[in-house]
Amino acid sequence: MHKWNRKHLLSIEELSREEILTVLQTAESFKDISLRPIKKSPVLRGKTIVLLFYEPSTRTSNSFSLAAKRLSADVVNISVNASSVQKGESLIDTAKNIEALKIHTIIIRHSRAGAPMILARHIDASVINAGDGYHEHPTQALLDMFTIKQRKGFFEGLKVTIVGDILHSRVARSNIWGLSKLGAEVTVCGPPTMIPVDIEAMGAKVSYNLKEAVADADVVNLLRVQFERESGVLFPSVREYAAMFSMDDEMEKYLKEDALIMHPGPINRGVEISSRMADGKRSVILEQVTNGLAVRMAVLYLISGEKEKTRKSSL
Ligand code: CP
């Protein structure tokens, strides 16, 4: 297995194909732990991991928190709304004060692209990007790739269509970088106002027609319409968006027999996906959440710099 020697996880763009595969392979071992009666490993005993979320989260924050606990780390959740951030403390001052408590890793979500990179330059602790503005959401892409690997078994030539608000989506950006590195063919689909002009330079094809974009797709990854990020002003009405870009019961007719339906969550039922499709047999949406735990355990373990032999003897 490729040796992992990164102190931080800041983006998928910076990872090599081998590093991505190392995370996916490590996650397979950690998924096995989740199936055992006693779901704990001691590999991060004595480490302290801090979650610093400046934006709301259900899946990422709880998944990281549980992953750290399963690896026997001490976990501190900083509630930004109840912290001195409300008194005007800067991001760097907040992080330096947390670091003064002798912690090992900060997992940060921030509305500004680049916030994790700035933090990594100013503190000695490891930094993990849990989503920064429109830029990247590396662990979401890793868990998406892990889910695809488990279901499909390969990436080379696999056709993945990502649908929705690509412009505002850190999930789309991280997935495009990662899937392209692994040899998948990525198509993005949505209204022209939601497709960034430079997206083809990242290796993705562009389609504005959902029926065509899903027709030969092995995987369809639907993105949430992010009303809090002004997605709502990029199309005339929610009804019109749903009529053209919702993965609904009518659109299912155009899918391949074995096409997977993915969504990073949270989902807007009736907007980007119908309830029947979200809960149907093709959907792996909750499986993505389950896999997120194993992938985040793998990321925490690799970042912690534990030696491979320690992992093998402790699992
Ligand atoms: N997919 C995702 O990032 O979900 P949360 O916002 O709930 O963390």
Side-chain angles (χ1 to χ4, degrees):
M1 190 192 290
H2 180 84
K3 191 173 184 311
W4 178 275
N5 54 13
R6 284 185 187 273
K7 181 177 166 190
H8 310 292
L9 176 60
L10 302 175
S11 71
I12 298 293
E13 183 181 6
E14 70 182 0
L15 298 186
S16 66
R17 168 190 166 86
E18 289 70 30
E19 285 172 313
I20 294 170
L21 291 173
T22 294
V23 176
L24 303 189
Q25 198 174 335
T26 308
E28 279 171 25
S29 306
F30 285 115
K31 188 159 181 179
D32 291 344
I33 290 183
S34 300
L35 303 174
R36 294 180 191 168
I38 296 173
K39 305 178 192 309
K40 276 221 157 188
S41 162
V43 295
L44 295 190
R45 194 160 49 204
K47 309 265 186 202
T48 304
I49 292 170
V50 174
L51 279 81
L52 181 61
F53 277 55
Y54 285 77
E55 282 188 337
S57 168
T58 297
R59 279 145 290 269
T60 313
S61 60
N62 288 304
S63 169
F64 263 122
S65 183
L66 191 55
K69 287 174 186 168
R70 292 255 168 106
L71 297 177
S72 307
D74 295 317
V75 182
V76 178
N77 264 288
I78 308 255
S79 170
V80 166
N81 287 338
S83 76
S84 289
V85 169
Q86 301 307 319
K87 301 175 194 165
E89 189 166 52
S90 73
L91 170 64
I92 292 168
D93 281 337
T94 299
K96 284 192 165 180
N97 277 271
I98 294 168
E99 192 178 39
L101 300 171
K102 308 300 175 203
I103 56 92
H104 299 90
T105 303
I106 295 184
I107 301 165
I108 178 171
R109 170 171 287 189
H110 203 284
S111 58
R112 297 292 172 95
M117 294 73 185
I118 290 170
L119 218 56
R121 284 206 293 273
H122 284 86
I123 62 173
D124 286 331
S126 291
V127 176
I128 297 176
N129 180 0
D132 63 324
Y134 306 160
H135 176 229
E136 282 225 33
H137 192 346
T139 57
Q140 180 66 46
L142 289 166
L143 75 87
D144 291 343
M145 289 185 275
F146 183 79
T147 304
I148 291 171
K149 183 165 180 256
Q150 295 243 306
R151 283 298 193 126
K152 295 289 181 185
F154 69 101
F155 291 100
E156 201 63 49
L158 195 80
K159 291 184 167 51
V160 180
T161 297
I162 306 175
V163 184
D165 185 0
I166 311 296
L167 184 66
H168 291 113
S169 178
R170 52 197 180 205
V171 174
R173 248 172 283 280
S174 289
N175 264 281
I176 294 168
W177 285 124
L179 288 164
S180 303
K181 285 175 198 222
L182 297 183
E185 294 173 21
V186 182
T187 299
V188 295
C189 178
T193 48
M194 288 180 160
I195 307 286
V197 286
D198 59 349
I199 202 76
E200 281 161 315
M202 289 176 68
K205 294 182 194 158
V206 175
S207 170
Y208 304 112
N209 182 312
L210 187 59
K211 287 176 192 159
E212 288 173 12
V214 302
D216 63 351
D218 300 297
V219 176
V220 180
N221 196 350
L222 301 153
L223 302 175
R224 182 172 67 90
V225 175
Q226 300 183 64
F227 293 103
E228 79 281 12
R229 292 195 206 279
E230 301 178 347
S231 296
V233 302
L234 296 177
F235 48 81
S237 69
V238 172
R239 184 183 297 189
E240 186 157 342
Y241 179 88
M244 293 182 73
F245 296 103
S246 180
M247 178 49 66
D248 57 16
D249 310 355
E250 166 67 18
M251 195 57 66
E252 187 176 14
K253 290 188 225 156
Y254 298 90
L255 291 175
K256 278 170 66 173
E257 187 69 30
D258 60 349
L260 295 183
I261 294 294
M262 301 179 73
H263 192 305
I267 60 178
N268 294 309
R269 289 173 186 265
V271 181
E272 66 267 1
I273 189 167
S274 68
S275 273
R276 204 173 75 83
M277 290 300 290
D279 304 328
K281 64 178 176 20
R282 299 169 181 281
S283 171
V284 291
I285 295 172
L286 293 178
E287 205 172 303
Q288 290 171 261
V289 178
T290 304
N291 288 336
L293 183 58
V295 166
R296 290 179 174 119
M297 287 169 85
V299 167
L300 290 172
Y301 164 72
L302 290 167
I303 290 287
S304 82
E306 292 290 333
K307 298 276 184 295
E308 178 72 1
K309 62 178 169 47
T310 312
R311 183 180 75 81
K312 280 195 174 139
S313 63
S314 305
L315 287 178

